[in-house]
CSV table of all heavy atoms in Angstrom, one decimal:
chain,number,residue,atom,x,y,z
H,129,SER,N,100.2,84.1,93.0
H,129,SER,CA,99.8,84.4,91.6
H,129,SER,C,101.0,84.5,90.7
H,129,SER,O,100.9,84.1,89.5
H,129,SER,CB,98.9,85.6,91.6
H,129,SER,OG,99.7,86.8,92.0
H,133,PHE,N,101.8,82.6,87.3
H,133,PHE,CA,102.1,83.3,86.0
H,133,PHE,C,103.4,82.7,85.5
H,133,PHE,O,103.6,82.6,84.3
H,133,PHE,CB,102.2,84.8,86.3
H,133,PHE,CG,101.2,85.6,85.6
H,133,PHE,CD1,100.0,85.8,86.1
H,133,PHE,CD2,101.5,86.1,84.3
H,133,PHE,CE1,99.0,86.6,85.5
H,133,PHE,CE2,100.5,86.9,83.7
H,133,PHE,CZ,99.3,87.1,84.2
H,199,LEU,N,93.1,94.1,95.2
H,199,LEU,CA,92.9,92.6,95.5
H,199,LEU,C,92.0,91.9,94.5
H,199,LEU,O,92.5,90.9,93.9
H,199,LEU,CB,92.4,92.5,96.9
H,199,LEU,CG,92.1,91.0,97.3
H,199,LEU,CD1,93.4,90.2,97.4
H,199,LEU,CD2,91.4,90.9,98.7
H,200,PRO,N,90.8,92.4,94.2
H,200,PRO,CA,90.0,91.7,93.2
H,200,PRO,C,90.6,91.6,91.8
H,200,PRO,O,90.6,90.6,91.1
H,200,PRO,CB,88.7,92.5,93.2
H,200,PRO,CG,88.6,93.2,94.5
H,200,PRO,CD,90.0,93.5,94.9
H,201,LEU,N,91.3,92.8,91.5
H,201,LEU,CA,92.0,92.8,90.2
H,201,LEU,C,93.1,91.7,90.1
H,201,LEU,O,93.2,91.0,89.1
H,201,LEU,CB,92.6,94.2,90.0
H,201,LEU,CG,93.2,94.5,88.7
H,201,LEU,CD1,93.1,96.0,88.3
H,201,LEU,CD2,94.7,94.2,88.7
H,202,LEU,N,93.8,91.6,91.2
H,202,LEU,CA,94.9,90.6,91.3
H,202,LEU,C,94.3,89.2,91.2
H,202,LEU,O,94.8,88.4,90.4
H,202,LEU,CB,95.6,90.8,92.6
H,202,LEU,CG,96.7,89.7,92.9
H,202,LEU,CD1,97.9,89.8,92.0
H,202,LEU,CD2,97.1,89.8,94.4
H,203,ILE,N,93.3,88.9,91.9
H,203,ILE,CA,92.7,87.6,91.9
H,203,ILE,C,92.1,87.2,90.6
H,203,ILE,O,92.3,86.1,90.1
H,203,ILE,CB,91.6,87.5,93.0
H,203,ILE,CG1,92.1,87.7,94.4
H,203,ILE,CG2,90.9,86.1,92.9
H,203,ILE,CD1,93.2,86.8,94.8
H,204,ILE,N,91.5,88.1,89.9
H,204,ILE,CA,90.9,87.9,88.6
H,204,ILE,C,91.9,87.7,87.5
H,204,ILE,O,91.9,86.8,86.7
H,204,ILE,CB,89.8,88.9,88.3
H,204,ILE,CG1,88.7,88.9,89.3
H,204,ILE,CG2,89.3,88.8,86.8
H,204,ILE,CD1,87.7,90.0,89.1
H,205,LEU,N,92.8,88.7,87.4
H,205,LEU,CA,93.7,88.8,86.3
H,205,LEU,C,95.0,88.0,86.5
H,205,LEU,O,95.6,87.5,85.5
H,205,LEU,CB,94.1,90.2,85.9
H,205,LEU,CG,92.9,91.1,85.5
H,205,LEU,CD1,93.4,92.5,85.1
H,205,LEU,CD2,92.2,90.5,84.3
H,206,HIS,N,95.5,87.9,87.7
H,206,HIS,CA,96.7,87.2,88.0
H,206,HIS,C,96.6,85.8,88.6
H,206,HIS,O,97.6,85.2,88.8
H,206,HIS,CB,97.6,88.1,88.9
H,206,HIS,CG,98.3,89.2,88.2
H,206,HIS,ND1,99.7,89.5,88.4
H,206,HIS,CD2,97.9,90.0,87.2
H,206,HIS,CE1,100.0,90.5,87.6
H,206,HIS,NE2,99.0,90.8,86.9
H,207,PHE,N,95.4,85.4,88.9
H,207,PHE,CA,95.2,84.1,89.5
H,207,PHE,C,94.2,83.3,88.7
H,207,PHE,O,94.6,82.3,88.1
H,207,PHE,CB,94.8,84.3,91.0
H,207,PHE,CG,94.7,83.0,91.7
H,207,PHE,CD1,95.8,82.3,92.0
H,207,PHE,CD2,93.4,82.4,92.0
H,207,PHE,CE1,95.7,81.0,92.7
H,207,PHE,CE2,93.3,81.2,92.7
H,207,PHE,CZ,94.5,80.5,93.0
H,208,LEU,N,92.9,83.7,88.7
H,208,LEU,CA,91.9,82.9,88.0
H,208,LEU,C,92.2,82.8,86.5
H,208,LEU,O,92.0,81.7,85.9
H,208,LEU,CB,90.5,83.5,88.2
H,208,LEU,CG,90.0,83.6,89.6
H,208,LEU,CD1,88.7,84.3,89.7
H,208,LEU,CD2,89.9,82.2,90.3
H,209,GLN,N,92.7,83.8,85.9
H,209,GLN,CA,92.9,83.8,84.4
H,209,GLN,C,93.9,82.8,84.0
H,209,GLN,O,93.8,82.2,82.9
H,209,GLN,CB,93.3,85.2,84.0
H,209,GLN,CG,93.5,85.3,82.5
H,209,GLN,CD,93.8,86.8,82.1
H,209,GLN,OE1,93.3,87.2,81.1
H,209,GLN,NE2,94.7,87.4,82.8
H,210,ILE,N,94.9,82.5,84.8
H,210,ILE,CA,96.0,81.6,84.4
H,210,ILE,C,95.5,80.2,84.2
H,210,ILE,O,96.2,79.4,83.5
H,210,ILE,CB,97.2,81.7,85.4
H,210,ILE,CG1,96.8,81.2,86.7
H,210,ILE,CG2,97.8,83.1,85.4
H,210,ILE,CD1,97.9,81.1,87.7
H,228,GLY,N,88.3,87.0,77.6
H,228,GLY,CA,89.5,87.5,78.3
H,228,GLY,C,89.3,89.0,78.6
H,228,GLY,O,89.6,89.5,79.7
H,229,ASN,N,88.8,89.8,77.6
H,229,ASN,CA,88.6,91.2,77.8
H,229,ASN,C,87.5,91.5,78.8
H,229,ASN,O,87.5,92.5,79.5
H,229,ASN,CB,88.3,91.9,76.4
H,229,ASN,CG,89.5,91.9,75.5
H,229,ASN,OD1,90.5,91.3,75.8
H,229,ASN,ND2,89.4,92.6,74.4
H,230,THR,N,86.5,90.6,78.8
H,230,THR,CA,85.4,90.7,79.8
H,230,THR,C,86.0,90.5,81.2
H,230,THR,O,85.6,91.2,82.2
H,230,THR,CB,84.3,89.7,79.6
H,230,THR,OG1,83.8,89.9,78.3
H,230,THR,CG2,83.2,89.8,80.6
H,231,LEU,N,87.0,89.7,81.4
H,231,LEU,CA,87.6,89.5,82.7
H,231,LEU,C,88.3,90.9,83.1
H,231,LEU,O,88.3,91.3,84.2
H,231,LEU,CB,88.7,88.4,82.7
H,231,LEU,CG,88.1,87.0,82.6
H,231,LEU,CD1,89.3,86.0,82.6
H,231,LEU,CD2,87.2,86.7,83.8
H,232,TRP,N,88.9,91.5,82.1
H,232,TRP,CA,89.6,92.8,82.3
H,232,TRP,C,88.5,93.8,82.7
H,232,TRP,O,88.7,94.6,83.6
H,232,TRP,CB,90.3,93.3,81.1
H,232,TRP,CG,91.7,92.7,80.9
H,232,TRP,CD1,92.0,91.5,80.4
H,232,TRP,CD2,92.9,93.3,81.3
H,232,TRP,NE1,93.3,91.2,80.5
H,232,TRP,CE2,93.9,92.4,81.0
H,232,TRP,CE3,93.2,94.5,81.9
H,232,TRP,CZ2,95.3,92.6,81.2
H,232,TRP,CZ3,94.6,94.8,82.1
H,232,TRP,CH2,95.6,93.8,81.8
H,233,LEU,N,87.4,93.8,82.0
H,233,LEU,CA,86.3,94.8,82.3
H,233,LEU,C,85.8,94.6,83.8
H,233,LEU,O,85.6,95.6,84.5
H,233,LEU,CB,85.1,94.5,81.4
H,233,LEU,CG,83.9,95.4,81.6
H,233,LEU,CD1,84.2,96.9,81.3
H,233,LEU,CD2,82.7,94.9,80.7
H,234,ILE,N,85.6,93.3,84.2
H,234,ILE,CA,85.2,93.0,85.5
H,234,ILE,C,86.2,93.5,86.6
H,234,ILE,O,85.9,94.1,87.6
H,234,ILE,CB,84.8,91.6,85.7
H,234,ILE,CG1,83.6,91.2,84.8
H,234,ILE,CG2,84.5,91.2,87.2
H,234,ILE,CD1,83.4,89.7,84.7
H,235,ALA,N,87.5,93.1,86.3
H,235,ALA,CA,88.5,93.4,87.3
H,235,ALA,C,88.7,94.9,87.5
H,235,ALA,O,88.8,95.4,88.6
H,235,ALA,CB,89.8,92.7,86.8
H,236,LEU,N,88.8,95.6,86.3
H,236,LEU,CA,89.0,97.1,86.4
H,236,LEU,C,87.8,97.8,86.9
H,236,LEU,O,87.9,98.8,87.6
H,236,LEU,CB,89.4,97.6,85.1
H,236,LEU,CG,90.8,97.2,84.6
H,236,LEU,CD1,91.1,97.7,83.1
H,236,LEU,CD2,91.9,97.7,85.5
H,281,SER,N,94.5,90.1,77.3
H,281,SER,CA,95.2,89.1,78.1
H,281,SER,C,96.5,88.7,77.4
H,281,SER,O,97.6,88.5,78.0
H,281,SER,CB,94.3,87.9,78.4
H,281,SER,OG,93.2,88.3,79.2
H,284,LEU,N,99.1,91.3,77.6
H,284,LEU,CA,99.7,91.4,78.9
H,284,LEU,C,100.8,90.3,79.0
H,284,LEU,O,101.9,90.6,79.5
H,284,LEU,CB,98.6,91.2,80.0
H,284,LEU,CG,99.2,91.1,81.4
H,284,LEU,CD1,99.7,92.5,81.9
H,284,LEU,CD2,98.1,90.6,82.4
H,285,MET,N,100.5,89.1,78.6
H,285,MET,CA,101.5,88.0,78.6
H,285,MET,C,102.7,88.4,77.8
H,285,MET,O,103.8,88.1,78.2
H,285,MET,CB,100.8,86.7,78.1
H,285,MET,CG,99.8,86.1,79.0
H,285,MET,SD,100.5,85.5,80.6
H,285,MET,CE,99.1,84.6,81.3
Side-chain angles (χ1 to χ4, degrees):
S129 64
F133 244 88
L199 178 66
L201 186 148
L202 174 70
I203 299 300
I204 294 171
L205 296 182
H206 278 225
F207 185 71
L208 297 179
Q209 183 176 222
I210 62 177
N229 290 10
T230 300
L231 289 180
W232 278 82
L233 178 68
I234 295 171
L236 293 174
S281 298
L284 176 69
M285 290 291 190

